[in-house]
Amino acid sequence: MSVRARRHAVAVAPRPIASSPRAPRRRAAASARPERARLPALPRIAVSLGDPSGVGAEVTAKALAALRGALVPYVFGDARVLARELASSGLPLVVPGAPLPPEGALVTVTRLPAGAVRPGRPDPRAGEAQLAALEAAFDAVRRGDADALTTAPVSKAQVARALPGFVGHTEWLEARCGVRRSVMMLAGEKLKIALVTNHVAFAKLRRALTVERIAETLVITHRALREDLGLARPRLALAALNPHAGEEGAFGDEEKTLLPAALARAASAGARARGPFPADSVFFRAALGEFDAVVALYHDQGLIPVKLLDAVGGDPAVNVTLGLPIVRTSPDHGVAYDIAGSGVANPASMIAALRLAARIAGVRAQARPTRGR
């Protein structure tokens, strides 16, 4: 079993949903007092099920059971997979285009043959179905029928057969939303890391690291910490590129030239950050509470610490896309074909993804009447 499979196989009991006790109401027979304001509506989360041969449906089913009563789910996927994995949810089945019930629903976007939805047995025919579920869930959010989007893992290779050029959810969402640039953040409770570059070969990394791109990442991340997570004064750090932050120029001069210029440009746009700090210490400083988030310069620099905390520290991480007009989160794992269908997939990251989607949607909803004044 692979390392990733073992991570999913570890059984983690879902955390109980915190509830706020309410004092019992006294009903006066002839009271003239106005009726109390209603409690806020539950957040409505559209979920795309991803690869029908992966663990997406399983972790979604487990997560929804753990979060019952905390949100309204609209799950978009293949009819056979929904029947197999989510029948116990009690949610009604609806067809695309039908009104979405207020209590949630399972939306049967496609109906693949049985041979195309076998757990752990990826099928090329599933590529179009994965894309269709994503399209339908995204459209529900853009129409206002849902408040946020949570995406289960897809097979990028299969979706690319149906949509040449597809490289992942993030880039697809940028194009659909008409956004020039978004930022990938891996967010746990203890550590939140945003990336300047995503999937860039290490040999091409230095060329990709420009003052403009680093500053833009700092600005988008700073704004998201304020507007999506409700932090009035975000404490943001920038990781260095070279060992020991360049050691006074002995190991490179980016910490004296490139990174200070990017920090200055971001500060001029209202996004103040500290750094650059050596990458071998800035992440644990953030995990201990000194910073709210760290901007890492490349993929593995940022994902190794956050996934380490996830795997051995019990702090499940969530992939959240910053800078979009919609809310989008995702678990931080892949399709995990090696354990699909075995019943041992760990739902912790999907639970965290749904929680974070609901939280951001709530913060945005509260800020909407006053933002921009």
Side-chain angles (χ1 to χ4, degrees), residues 1 5 8 51-59 84-85 117-122 334-345:
M1 181 180 289
H8 286 281
D51 192 331
S53 297
V55 297
E58 180 185 338
V59 296
R84 183 181 71 208
E85 301 286 352
V117 296
R118 292 175 294 177
R121 304 286 294 275
V335 294
Y337 291 134
D338 49 354
I339 59 169
S342 64
V344 300

Side-chain angles (χ1 to χ4, degrees), residues 1-353:
M1 181 180 289
S2 68
V3 173
R4 174 173 286 180
R6 287 195 295 272
R7 283 186 54 213
H8 286 281
V10 177
V12 176
R15 292 177 292 174
I17 307 300
S19 60
S20 301
R22 288 180 290 165
R25 290 184 177 181
R26 296 180 180 177
R27 302 185 69 179
S31 174
R33 284 180 288 181
E35 184 181 348
R36 291 186 182 184
R38 293 182 180 180
L39 290 172
L42 292 177
R44 304 164 301 165
I45 312 298
V47 181
S48 59
L49 272 190
D51 192 331
S53 297
V55 297
E58 180 185 338
V59 296
T60 298
K62 291 177 177 178
L64 293 183
L67 297 173
R68 193 181 302 274
L71 52 85
V72 175
Y74 296 116
V75 185
F76 295 79
D78 185 77
R80 292 183 188 276
V81 179
L82 291 170
R84 183 181 71 208
E85 301 286 352
L86 285 106
S88 62
S89 69
L91 295 170
L93 289 167
V94 301
V95 297
L100 295 176
E103 71 274 19
L106 307 177
V107 185
T108 57
V109 182
T110 58
R111 187 174 186 84
L112 290 168
V117 296
R118 292 175 294 177
R121 304 286 294 275
D123 191 289
R125 293 171 289 182
E128 289 188 10
Q130 295 173 61
L131 183 59
L134 176 59
E135 291 267 12
F138 172 81
D139 288 343
V141 178
R142 290 305 297 262
R143 287 194 309 268
D145 291 338
D147 303 307
L149 171 67
T150 296
T151 58
V154 297
S155 165
K156 296 179 179 65
Q158 289 184 17
V159 177
R161 292 190 182 100
L163 181 65
F166 181 89
V167 294
H169 284 108
T170 301
E171 294 81 2
W172 185 88
L173 287 165
E174 284 179 353
R176 288 301 306 271
C177 292
V179 173
R180 186 180 66 83
R181 171 88 198 284
S182 67
V183 170
M184 179 191 298
M185 171 180 275
L186 271 291
E189 287 296 322
K190 296 179 180 178
L191 185 59
K192 295 174 176 61
I193 298 177
L195 301 180
V196 175
T197 61
N198 297 341
H199 303 116
V200 176
F202 202 78
K204 301 178 180 178
L205 177 63
R206 180 59 185 86
R207 186 181 302 173
L209 292 173
T210 64
V211 169
E212 179 184 17
R213 186 172 184 87
I214 298 168
E216 190 176 41
T217 305
L218 289 164
V219 170
I220 292 172
T221 304
H222 190 275
R223 183 185 303 125
L225 292 173
R226 287 190 294 107
E227 298 182 357
D228 290 344
L229 296 182
L231 302 178
R233 295 181 178 178
R235 299 168 302 161
L236 188 58
L238 176 64
L241 176 65
N242 298 302
H244 308 293
E247 195 72 59
E248 300 282 333
F251 307 137
D253 67 354
E254 284 82 4
E255 286 74 18
K256 290 186 173 183
T257 56
L258 173 71
L259 302 182
L263 286 164
R265 181 175 295 192
S268 69
R272 295 194 175 275
R274 295 171 58 194
F277 296 109
D280 62 1
S281 61
V282 69
F283 299 112
F284 74 71
R285 290 170 64 180
L288 291 173
E290 186 176 349
F291 305 113
D292 297 310
V294 179
V295 170
L297 298 177
Y298 57 94
H299 186 276
D300 286 10
Q301 184 186 56
L303 267 63
I304 288 172
V306 78
K307 288 198 172 188
L308 182 63
L309 271 181
D310 186 347
V312 304
D315 187 18
V318 176
N319 183 340
V320 53
T321 308
L322 311 181
L324 296 178
I326 68 166
V327 179
R328 181 262 173 161
T329 66
S330 177
D332 74 337
H333 58 75
V335 294
Y337 291 134
D338 49 354
I339 59 169
S342 64
V344 300
N346 185 345
S349 187
M350 178 58 90
I351 292 172

